[in-house]
Amino acid sequence: MTRSWRPLPRRERGLSRRGQGLPRREQGLPRRRQGLSRQGQGLVDTKRRLPRAGLRPLSPERGRSGPGRCPADGDRAAGGPRESATGLPTRIGRALLAQWHRVAGPTWTALCRRRLAAVPLTAVSTLLVIVFHALALTDAGERLVWSLGGVRADVPVRLVLLRLPLSLFAPAPGLPWWGALLQVAVIFGVAECVLGTLRTLTVSLVVTAAATFFARFLLTLGPGHVLAVPPAEAALADTGPSAAVLGLLICTGWACRAPVLSMGTVVTFSLECVLTTTLSSRAHLGGIAAALLCAAVACRPPARAAALSPAPVTTGQDAVR
């Protein structure tokens, strides 16, 4: 064997390997460097590190029953007392309260801002109710009230149309003066704040006219009809604000998105029609139909406010400024 065939010493062999590639120390990195490299790449094995720190990985079952769980989340996930508390009575109460705020909120706001200027029609109507009932206490005043606002089945149609606006404030049979005054002051005032003066006046006149002419139609029905009324009812005056109040309640509930108010009014007056056979209660059916028509045409609920756009994300420099 020649000299060139002899193997190189270990030191020279290591030097040659260093020149050819990476040394052994760099080929196999220590565990600490391996962990750091894994942390940089986001691949740290947390399951191996947790036992070293004396912690155990929490399973979903242990997280729900362990001492460190959040009771609100557990009760919410398991259907605990929070869901049982919000039962049917609670939801009904919240819905009624929300509808009450929809009706009372605009009324209170308008009265606080403009006071009596917000309800001119209500103020005049209340004054007319007081004056007409005071005049009806005397014979001359009663004849004057009848000539201005007296409506009955035997009155010609042209006179009915002329007397119709003031018939709302004339004394009604079976309704005390304080009842008419309370209806006009409260219902007219709320409707005027919600609907406005013009729509309140229009709804009152249209519904009262519909109830008046429907009562004349009921008197033409035979005694065997379901909606027939006794013949003695034809001699009674068909006056008072009850038909207008009915229409304003339905339209106000419709405009404020309060179905309990509108549907409750319809159900109440319909039950009155079923339980009694008087001309005024049966005439309210025509007023209900006219009120629903007015609500669908002229008393649409206001559009909901558009959702607010999310706030722009500010950078750190903008926040400092």
Side-chain angles (χ1 to χ4, degrees):
M1 295 177 63
T2 61
R3 190 174 181 181
S4 60
W5 286 77
R6 293 180 182 178
L8 295 174
R10 291 185 177 179
R11 186 177 298 177
E12 295 179 3
R13 268 186 271 174
L15 291 174
S16 64
R17 289 180 179 176
R18 289 177 188 176
Q20 294 177 2
L22 294 175
R24 287 183 179 178
R25 290 181 302 175
E26 296 179 4
Q27 288 179 0
L29 293 175
R31 292 184 177 180
R32 187 176 299 175
R33 293 188 179 180
Q34 291 178 3
L36 291 176
S37 63
R38 290 181 180 178
Q39 287 181 2
Q41 298 176 3
L43 300 175
V44 181
D45 194 358
T46 55
K47 293 184 179 180
R48 294 181 181 179
R49 289 197 170 193
L50 284 175
R52 295 180 184 178
L55 301 175
R56 296 181 180 179
L58 295 176
S59 62
E61 290 78 8
R62 288 180 61 86
R64 291 180 183 175
S65 59
R69 71 184 183 94
C70 180
D73 295 341
D75 295 340
R76 197 178 303 145
R82 178 169 293 188
E83 290 188 2
S84 61
T86 58
L88 185 60
T90 306
R91 294 177 182 176
I92 293 176
R94 290 177 181 176
L96 292 177
L97 185 61
Q99 295 183 24
W100 163 256
H101 284 302
R102 292 172 192 166
V103 177
T107 305
W108 182 255
T109 303
L111 290 177
C112 290
R113 289 181 178 179
R114 303 177 58 192
R115 300 189 182 276
L116 287 179
V119 286
L121 178 63
T122 304
V124 174
S125 301
T126 305
L127 183 61
L128 285 175
V129 169
I130 296 175
V131 170
F132 276 25
H133 280 78
L135 290 175
L137 297 178
T138 61
D139 294 338
E142 186 177 3
R143 289 193 295 270
L144 178 62
V145 170
W146 177 257
S147 62
L148 293 177
V151 174
R152 200 166 50 195
D154 56 352
V155 176
V157 178
R158 58 183 183 85
L159 287 180
V160 170
L161 294 176
L162 292 175
R163 297 175 180 179
L164 189 64
L166 294 179
S167 68
L168 278 73
F169 316 112
L175 182 65
W177 68 271
W178 57 266
L181 183 65
L182 187 63
Q183 287 182 2
V184 170
V186 176
I187 307 303
F188 273 61
V190 173
E192 193 171 3
C193 292
V194 173
L195 303 176
T197 303
L198 183 59
R199 284 196 292 180
T200 302
L201 180 61
T202 303
V203 170
S204 302
L205 294 178
V206 169
V207 175
T208 303
T212 300
F213 287 105
F214 189 73
R216 298 171 73 94
F217 169 73
L218 291 176
L219 292 174
T220 61
L221 300 176
H225 199 273
V226 178
L227 298 177
V229 294
E233 294 288 332
L236 297 178
D238 187 14
T239 55
S242 58
V245 166
L246 161 69
L248 291 177
L249 284 175
I250 294 176
C251 291
T252 302
W254 189 288
C256 294
R257 292 183 288 111
V260 172
L261 178 60
S262 54
M263 292 298 105
T265 305
V266 172
V267 172
T268 301
F269 281 90
S270 299
L271 287 177
E272 181 190 8
C273 173
V274 173
L275 298 177
T276 60
T277 59
T278 59
L279 181 63
S280 60
S281 62
R282 297 291 173 87
H284 287 158
L285 294 178
I288 290 174
L292 292 175
L293 182 61
C294 290
V297 173
C299 303
R300 297 179 181 178
R304 295 183 179 181
L308 296 177
S309 58
V313 179
T314 58
T315 60
Q317 298 179 357
D318 297 336
V320 172
R321 291 178 184 177

